[in-house]
Amino acid sequence: MNNTRKWLLYPLFIIGVTAFFIYYLFPSDKIKNFITVHVNKTYPGITIAVDHVTPAFPLGLRLYNVNFYHTNDPLFRMEQIKIAPGLLSLFRSKINFSFKGSAYTGMLDGKGEFTKNTPEVMIDGTLSGIRIKEISAIKDVIGRNISGVLDGNFTYRNKKESKNNLKAQLIISNGQLELVTPLLQLESLAFKKITAELAMKNMNLNIKKCIINGDQMGGSISGSVTLKNPPGQSYLKLSGTIKPHPLFLEKLGNDLPKNLLPKNIFGKNGVHIRIYGTLDTPRLFLN
């Protein structure tokens, strides 16, 4: 019995010592530099900064304080992320991997695939519990403040035939949106839920569907945004409908201009709106 215990302890001891040296002698700086240099070369305009890297068992890497930038402007920050490759795929031309990390008090996880010696990559991921008010890049792009909790899923494809292609289905709950231009005396809109279906290719953002369930009004909008640098010059081409809630219209009372009386413009299906111009100088039209 004692001999059996010894034979069991020896391999456990060797495994423990090996794990100890792998962890404490892990070349964190070299791997960190490899990751940052590879990303910066493969994706022009996108840079990544990593504080440090540690091994993740049974096989993988854990990156801490990961920051993504676009032409030096902050895009997204993650407190930490674990990346683990598929073991069998390491011997193939295409490597599969999974990832899971924390960001803005929420979580991001998913899987992906990249081809060796090429910039081609495919990623499928989910978002949950992301506090979007803390993401400065969103405010920079839309030019307005927005708060709430973000959930959803996304796919990213970077292939030669399609170039950059990002699709997402998102839900933002219990937040507030600063409007592009004041509407019915509102400069911001409190909402219970915003659901959106988006697609982006190169610098063109296609809003396929965006439905807003607000405290003062509801509505839907679709269209396109041609992203520019600086973001304030991004061009808007949006249309949709808005439908103020009856209680909100009652509160407006006599403050509502006579030529915008609810009975004249707000029918059963609401009123049609169009938004054109840039983020800095948008123009709103009511039909």
Side-chain angles (χ1 to χ4, degrees), residues 56-274:
F57 296 99
L59 179 64
L61 298 174
R62 193 178 300 276
L63 287 61
Y64 294 87
N65 295 325
V66 183
N67 289 274
F68 294 89
Y69 301 88
H70 179 258
T71 60
N72 297 323
D73 295 324
L75 280 179
F76 198 79
R77 174 179 55 81
M78 300 192 69
E79 286 81 18
Q80 60 87 23
I81 181 171
K82 177 185 176 182
I83 304 174
L87 295 179
L88 295 178
S89 70
L90 292 175
F91 305 98
R92 302 169 182 168
S93 60
K94 293 184 178 181
I95 296 180
N96 302 319
F97 63 93
S98 62
F99 60 91
K100 185 173 184 178
S102 57
Y104 306 104
T105 71
M107 298 296 297
L108 184 151
D109 64 273
K111 59 184 179 180
E113 176 184 282
F114 69 89
T115 304
K116 294 178 181 178
N117 303 320
T118 72
E120 294 185 1
V121 63
M122 298 186 296
I123 297 176
D124 297 279
T126 60
L127 303 163
S128 59
I130 304 290
R131 302 283 177 176
I132 61 173
K133 186 177 181 179
E134 301 177 25
I135 308 176
S136 59
I138 292 181
K139 180 181 178 181
D140 292 339
V141 171
I142 68 176
R144 301 295 184 272
N145 291 307
I146 183 171
S147 63
V149 179
L150 173 65
D151 300 283
N153 59 76
F154 65 91
T155 62
Y156 175 76
R157 301 289 185 268
N158 182 16
K159 291 188 174 183
K160 292 180 180 179
E161 62 270 20
S162 62
K163 297 185 178 179
N164 296 331
N165 198 330
L166 176 67
K167 296 180 180 180
Q169 293 179 323
L170 307 174
I171 298 175
I172 308 173
S173 306
N174 302 319
Q176 189 163 343
L177 171 66
E178 185 180 7
L179 297 176
V180 172
T181 185
L183 178 64
L184 297 180
Q185 301 182 350
L186 290 177
E187 294 186 354
S188 63
L189 176 65
F191 60 86
K192 297 177 182 176
K193 182 184 290 186
I194 295 178
T195 59
E197 183 177 346
L198 312 172
M200 183 172 175
K201 189 171 183 179
N202 296 329
M203 296 300 287
N204 295 310
L205 176 63
N206 180 19
I207 304 174
K208 295 184 177 181
K209 178 176 64 176
C210 181
I211 300 174
I212 303 173
N213 182 9
D215 294 335
Q216 296 99 347
M217 66 178 69
S220 63
I221 197 166
S222 61
S224 63
V225 181
T226 303
L227 300 176
K228 301 288 186 180
N229 193 12
Q233 295 302 307
S234 299
Y235 187 78
L236 306 170
K237 188 177 181 182
L238 307 171
S239 63
T241 59
I242 58 170
K243 187 176 182 181
H245 296 166
L247 290 178
F248 171 64
L249 290 176
E250 289 180 12
K251 289 181 180 180
L252 282 179
N254 295 328
D255 293 332
L256 191 69
K258 292 182 179 180
N259 63 333
L260 290 181
L261 289 174
K263 64 181 181 180
N264 291 333
I265 69 167
F266 296 113
K268 182 179 180 180
N269 298 320
V271 62
H272 185 70
I273 64 170
R274 292 176 293 128

